[in-house]
């Protein structure tokens, strides 16, 4: 989902005429912001269970490293992305802050880093299976 937002959804929204892209992002901020904690917690919980259950097996270090990257992505989300997201979801076309484009660009840059952490984490989980 995070990869899709970064490389498909947001570029599509950016290409829409007028304030339609902004409307899409504000709606997406509300919708995805509400469900994101569940899939992050779920991924962390499953990684923790996997690490605990397979502690004595080959690949446990990869699982622990992956879980650490997922934790870092959550911390990054809470400290950097959620504050911007909370502002974005309240915006209207009539009440935009002067720096709204800069805030969107900042969110996008942080989101690319978060996506890289998540992709690395899941690549490590796949490697742990081998």
């Amino acid at each position: 989902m995070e990869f899709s937002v970064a490389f498909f959804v947001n570029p599509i929204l950016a290409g829409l005429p007028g304030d339609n892209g902004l409307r899409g992002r504000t709606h997406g901020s509300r919708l995805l912001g509400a469900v994101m904690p569940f899939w992050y917690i779920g991924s962390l919980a499953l990684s923790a269970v996997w690490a605990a259950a397979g502690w004595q097996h080959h690949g446990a270090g990869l699982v622990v490293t992956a879980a650490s990257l997922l934790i870092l992505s959550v911390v990054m989300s809470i400290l950097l992305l959620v504050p911007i997201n909370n502002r974005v979801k309240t915006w209207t076309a009539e009440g935009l802050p002067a720096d709204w484009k800069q805030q969107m660009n900042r969110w996008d840059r942080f989101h690319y880093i978060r996506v890289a952490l998540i992709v690395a984490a899941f690549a490590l989980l796949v490697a742990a299976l081998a």
Side-chain angles (χ1 to χ4, degrees):
M1 184 61 204
E2 300 294 358
F3 184 87
S4 175
V5 167
F7 296 102
F8 297 103
V9 175
N10 283 348
I12 289 169
L13 293 174
L16 294 175
D19 68 349
N20 291 316
L22 176 62
R23 289 177 188 217
R25 285 184 80 135
T26 57
H27 181 64
S29 293
R30 287 188 295 274
L31 177 65
L32 295 175
V35 297
M36 185 181 76
F38 297 104
W39 70 62
Y40 275 39
I41 290 168
S43 296
L44 283 172
L46 290 173
S47 296
V49 167
W50 184 355
W55 189 249
Q56 301 299 324
H57 296 89
H58 174 73
L62 294 174
V63 175
V64 170
T65 303
S68 299
L69 290 176
L70 291 175
I71 290 169
L72 182 59
S73 76
V74 169
V75 170
M76 181 182 177
S77 296
I78 292 168
L79 296 178
L80 302 172
L81 290 144
V82 169
I84 297 171
N85 198 57
N86 286 341
R87 289 190 299 271
V88 171
K89 67 184 181 183
T90 66
W91 292 349
T92 63
E94 298 79 31
L96 288 175
D99 67 340
W100 73 272
K101 286 184 182 179
Q102 291 83 3
Q103 289 189 56
M104 289 289 82
N105 289 335
R106 185 173 184 223
W107 190 93
D108 287 341
R109 285 191 307 272
F110 288 143
H111 184 65
Y112 290 132
I113 295 167
R114 175 172 61 181
V115 168
L117 290 171
I118 293 169
V119 167
F122 283 103
L124 289 170
L125 292 173
V126 169
L129 291 173

